[in-house]
Amino acid sequence: MRIIVDGMGGDNAPQAIVEGVVQASAKLPAGYEICLVGREDCLRRELAKYDYDARIITISHAEEVIAMEDAPVKAVRTKKKSSLVSGIQMVKSGEGDIFISAGNSGALMAGGLFILGRIQGIDRPAIASVYPVLGGSPQLLVDAGANSECKPGNLLEFAMMGSIYAEKVWGRKEPSIGLVNLGVEENKGSTLTKAAYEMLARSGLNFTGNVEARELPDGACDVIVCDGFTGNVILKLTEGFALHILGLLKARFTEGTKAKIGALLLKDKLRSLKGEFDYSEYGGAPILGVKGAIVKMHGSSNANAVKNTVLKSIPYVEEQVVDKIQNSVLDIEEIVNSEREE
Amino acid sequence: MRIIVDGMGGDNAPQAIVEGVVQASAKLPAGYEICLVGREDCLRRELAKYDYDARIITISHAEEVIAMEDAPVKAVRTKKKSSLVSGIQMVKSGEGDIFISAGNSGALMAGGLFILGRIQGIDRPAIASVYPVLGGSPQLLVDAGANSECKPGNLLEFAMMGSIYAEKVWGRKEPSIGLVNLGVEENKGSTLTKAAYEMLARSGLNFTGNVEARELPDGACDVIVCDGFTGNVILKLTEGFALHILGLLKARFTEGTKAKIGALLLKDKLRSLKGEFDYSEYGGAPILGVKGAIVKMHGSSNANAVKNTVLKSIPYVEEQVVDKIQNSVLDIEEIVNSEREE
């Protein structure tokens, strides 16, 4: 198996990417390789800092770099020699089995759509993100922001793809699916969520009904389904609130001697809590619905996040998640089409 | 001025309602009255527990009660003698200046629409809720859940009404308005938010641009504008996360003797933090856009929340917010109509 990693993508590239790849390479099963795509001189210089096995880590040269602020579609169309486009091309040609990047998310999605194409029968590929549960197991949130406007059938697609991913990659048995809605009752919600509810109920998936946003931090279900606008709000609000409250605790707990001593005694607890806010332990966010495996890492990923994403991505390929999604399209097609006919 | 309070609405009615009204009555300026609407015997029995001024607190009998689980529209149409319908009727007839209730939110909105009617030129009345900022000043969030589907012009209406309320009731000068969106750049977002952005930019309001959900916990702006589905998700997710993290801190800080001593030393800090999660200090949530003042309290309001809501509602009437919204409709009408013509 050959894992392609974008050496140039993300805020901390290439340093953190190369360091993380070296760390991951030491833990890969026999027969696995990692190929770094990007400017060869630059990547070689970084690699030279470490003691690594040159049979496991190779480099594929790509001259251009797609920047975080580049317009996604234009960047993919014009920067054909970028590490991002080259990496996805390698998955398309079979030179690689999966592409992992901390680069421009929009370009990653556009590249997946243009180069690999959609799985037949999937209308809207989506980004599936880790939604952390403090003190519990994470949830998979689909869509995390790729599709700000959705039809009911799209939400059913997200549920089906998320269910397969949660089962095959995270090892959840019959993953429970929750639909983000205004209330838990069946008849609640917008036109979109009411229609999606009906479809999910007939889908044969383990649909457990509506979930209110209030329940998400406690770990309401395995797969959280919503449109990409809502998903983006959920992820970013949680991240913002977590950072805000950590900052506030720190400020309050260092006001006055008594508080400082108290905080010192609680240091281990506070540190472990902070660690739980770290999404990177769980790996990256797959782009589900395209004909090949692409995983997006957070733009600010450090070496540890890169290492985790590489290692946690193995079952995505080994379990043939892309093929399984393709095979499951038929199971939901009739329900999705019933909407189109209406 | 005469404040009408629903004696029967909410999880803790009538006890907490009556207790809160008695507390508020002691702090009202001269010439103010409170009228409790509901079952007279029941309210009289509760009032008898306290020492109060019978010239300030009166009772208006209403036989029926709209329950939290009643279907809103049907309840308002069939329970004409309910405390909720009677209370809104009193605002309509001029017997009261404002109606405050912790009862069924949907019924409160339906009652406002059917009995008072919309302000001419306002397409969609909305609920404006307090969005708390830990360690800072709260923000006003419109719409908090009344309209799960919106047109761009509706978001402009929410912004205009929220701006007037934040200025007149909260005393904010030229309230800053933020539009919840996927990114801060002007061209980001869904069809709805892109069109709303354009309208807000031309509105003459103090529109400061898009806000990402990540910025909300830090206090991004005075008035947060979004559709009701998004607003509901933002409020409920924040509430759920706050409760989750408080529970987690408590559990972790009581594991082991060292942590327990640390937590004891930080007791005051933790308690003050918990207090900041308490929305009720800021008063209730007005239903903006109907022809009369209605304020919704949280269903689980305790006596202190009732007292605060009553006292904080005074400027809503004194500053003639309903009339000011009516007068400002003209300012945005042309922009809203430009959408309708398209």
Side-chain angles (χ1 to χ4, degrees), chain A residues 85-123:
Chain A
V85 170
S86 305
I88 300 176
Q89 287 286 9
M90 290 169 81
V91 173
K92 167 96 174 168
S93 68
E95 286 167 86
D97 296 290
I98 186 167
F99 179 63
I100 299 173
S101 174
N104 187 317
S105 310
L108 212 51
M109 175 56 96
L113 285 170
F114 297 158
I115 301 165
L116 302 176
R118 290 175 298 151
I119 290 176
Q120 201 184 351
I122 295 292
D123 182 38

Side-chain angles (χ1 to χ4, degrees), chain B residues 100-291:
Chain B
I100 299 172
S101 174
N104 187 317
S105 310
L108 212 50
M109 176 55 97
L113 285 170
F114 297 157
I115 301 165
L116 302 176
R118 291 175 296 152
I119 290 176
Q120 201 185 350
I122 295 292
D123 182 38
R124 295 285 193 92
I127 297 173
S129 227
V130 175
Y131 187 79
V133 176
L134 302 183
S137 307
Q139 301 165 86
L140 188 72
L141 185 143
V142 208
D143 174 28
N147 307 284
S148 61
E149 270 135 312
C150 292
K151 288 171 289 188
N154 299 143
L155 300 193
L156 177 57
E157 291 172 351
F158 301 164
M160 178 272 278
M161 298 191 294
S163 175
I164 291 172
Y165 188 87
E167 188 184 338
K168 299 303 174 189
V169 181
W170 286 6
R172 304 280 167 96
K173 287 208 164 57
E174 294 187 27
S176 59
I177 316 261
L179 175 68
V180 179
N181 212 337
L182 298 178
V184 291
E185 304 86 351
E186 184 180 341
N187 57 349
K188 282 262 180 176
S190 61
T191 316
L192 172 67
T193 55
K194 280 185 204 167
Y197 187 103
E198 294 230 330
M199 289 188 172
L200 285 162
R202 298 192 278 146
S203 67
L205 295 166
N206 182 18
F207 176 53
T208 51
N210 290 325
V211 289
E212 287 194 275
R214 176 184 310 173
E215 306 166 69
L216 299 179
D218 297 323
C221 48
D222 292 311
V223 181
I224 304 165
V225 172
C226 58
D227 67 85
F229 192 93
T230 304
N232 182 281
V233 165
I234 289 171
L235 279 174
K236 288 192 177 159
L237 183 59
T238 303
E239 194 178 332
F241 198 78
L243 288 172
H244 183 80
I245 209 160
L246 282 175
L248 201 69
L249 285 176
K250 196 174 169 187
R252 297 284 166 86
F253 289 1
T254 51
E255 284 166 2
T257 313
K258 201 172 96 178
K260 276 183 192 161
I261 298 169
L264 206 63
L265 291 167
L266 287 168
K267 207 171 77 177
D268 298 344
K269 306 282 183 189
L270 289 167
R271 188 175 293 160
S272 85
L273 203 65
K274 202 176 167 185
E276 289 181 44
F277 280 113
D278 184 4
Y279 299 25
S280 68
E281 284 298 316
Y282 306 114
I287 296 181
L288 300 175
V290 293
K291 276 189 279 185

Side-chain angles (χ1 to χ4, degrees), chain A residues 131 134 149 182 191 212 214 217-218 232 236-237 241 244 248 252 255 258 265-266 269 273 276, chain B residues 131 134 149 182 191 212 214 217-218 236-237 241 244 248 252 255 258-259 265-266 269 273 276:
Chain A
Y131 187 79
L134 303 183
E149 270 135 312
L182 299 178
T191 316
E212 286 195 276
R214 177 185 311 179
D218 297 323
N232 182 281
K236 289 193 176 160
L237 183 60
F241 198 78
H244 183 79
L248 201 69
R252 297 283 166 88
E255 284 167 1
K258 200 172 97 179
L265 290 166
L266 288 168
K269 306 282 183 190
L273 203 65
E276 289 181 46
Chain B
Y131 187 79
L134 302 183
E149 270 135 312
L182 298 178
T191 316
E212 287 194 275
R214 176 184 310 173
D218 297 323
K236 288 192 177 159
L237 183 59
F241 198 78
H244 183 80
L248 201 69
R252 297 284 166 86
E255 284 166 2
K258 201 172 96 178
L265 291 167
L266 287 168
K269 306 282 183 189
L273 203 65
E276 289 181 44

Side-chain angles (χ1 to χ4, degrees), chain A:
Chain A
M1 181 172 140
R2 196 147 182 251
I3 300 163
I4 316 294
V5 177
D6 183 351
M8 316 307 288
D11 306 332
N12 307 317
Q15 294 83 0
I17 310 292
V18 172
E19 188 184 349
V21 159
V22 170
Q23 288 175 11
S25 70
K27 303 199 167 190
L28 282 177
Y32 281 69
E33 276 176 54
I34 302 177
C35 175
L36 279 161
V37 197
R39 291 195 181 130
E40 185 163 6
D41 53 343
C42 177
L43 294 171
R44 209 160 285 291
R45 202 179 317 126
E46 281 304 316
L47 268 176
K49 294 180 185 169
Y50 307 97
D51 187 22
Y52 71 97
D53 187 334
R55 290 164 305 182
I56 297 180
I57 305 181
T58 56
I59 292 176
S60 173
H61 178 67
E63 188 54 37
E64 292 173 300
V65 175
I66 292 181
M68 297 304 250
E69 59 278 9
D70 280 350
V73 172
K74 193 181 160 201
V76 169
R77 291 234 157 102
T78 57
K79 293 187 172 175
K80 301 266 187 210
K81 288 179 179 165
S82 62
S83 57
L84 190 148
V85 170
S86 305
I88 300 176
Q89 287 286 9
M90 290 169 81
V91 173
K92 167 96 174 168
S93 68
E95 286 167 86
D97 296 290
I98 186 167
F99 179 63
I100 299 173
S101 174
N104 187 317
S105 310
L108 212 51
M109 175 56 96
L113 285 170
F114 297 158
I115 301 165
L116 302 176
R118 290 175 298 151
I119 290 176
Q120 201 184 351
I122 295 292
D123 182 38
R124 295 286 192 93
I127 297 173
S129 226
V130 175
Y131 187 79
V133 176
L134 303 183
S137 307
Q139 302 165 85
L140 189 72
L141 184 142
V142 207
D143 173 28
N147 307 285
S148 61
E149 270 135 312
C150 291
K151 288 171 289 189
N154 299 143
L155 300 193
L156 177 57
E157 291 173 351
F158 302 164
M160 178 272 277
M161 298 191 293
S163 176
I164 291 172
Y165 188 88
E167 187 184 338
K168 299 303 174 189
V169 181
W170 287 5
R172 304 281 167 95
K173 287 207 165 58
E174 294 187 25
S176 58
I177 315 257
L179 175 68
V180 178
N181 212 337
L182 299 178
V184 292
E185 304 85 351
E186 184 180 340
N187 59 349
K188 280 263 179 176
S190 61
T191 316
L192 172 67
T193 55
K194 280 184 204 166
Y197 187 103
E198 293 229 331
M199 289 188 171
L200 285 162
R202 297 192 277 145
S203 67
L205 295 165
N206 183 18
F207 176 53
T208 51
N210 291 326
V211 288
E212 286 195 276
R214 177 185 311 179
E215 306 166 70
L216 299 179
D218 297 323
C221 49
D222 292 312
V223 181
I224 305 165
V225 172
C226 58
D227 67 85
F229 192 93
T230 303
N232 182 281
V233 165
I234 289 171
L235 279 174
K236 289 193 176 160
L237 183 60
T238 303
E239 195 179 332
F241 198 78
L243 287 173
H244 183 79
I245 208 160
L246 281 175
L248 201 69
L249 285 177
K250 197 173 168 188
R252 297 283 166 88
F253 288 3
T254 50
E255 284 167 1
T257 313
K258 200 172 97 179
K260 277 181 191 160
I261 298 169
L264 205 64
L265 290 166
L266 288 168
K267 206 171 76 177
D268 299 345
K269 306 282 183 190
L270 289 167
R271 188 175 290 159
S272 84
L273 203 65
K274 201 176 167 186
E276 289 181 46
F277 279 112
D278 184 5
Y279 300 23
S280 68
E281 284 299 316
Y282 306 115
I287 296 181
L288 300 175
V290 293
K291 277 189 280 187
I294 301 182
V295 171
K296 170 185 134 41
M297 291 188 277
H298 202 291
S300 61
S301 292
N302 59 18
N304 189 53
V306 174
K307 181 195 77 177
N308 284 323
T309 305
V310 169
L311 295 173
K312 301 261 177 180
S313 296
I314 294 174
Y316 190 9
V317 178
E318 293 284 341
E319 295 287 337
Q320 303 176 299
V321 170
V322 175
D323 291 345
K324 290 201 165 89
I325 290 175
Q326 171 70 77
N327 295 337
S328 296
V329 165
L330 273 178
D331 300 341
I332 61 163
E333 208 164 32
E334 200 179 320
I335 302 175
V336 174
N337 286 341
S338 69
E339 172 199 22
R340 291 192 184 134
E341 284 157 18
E342 270 161 23

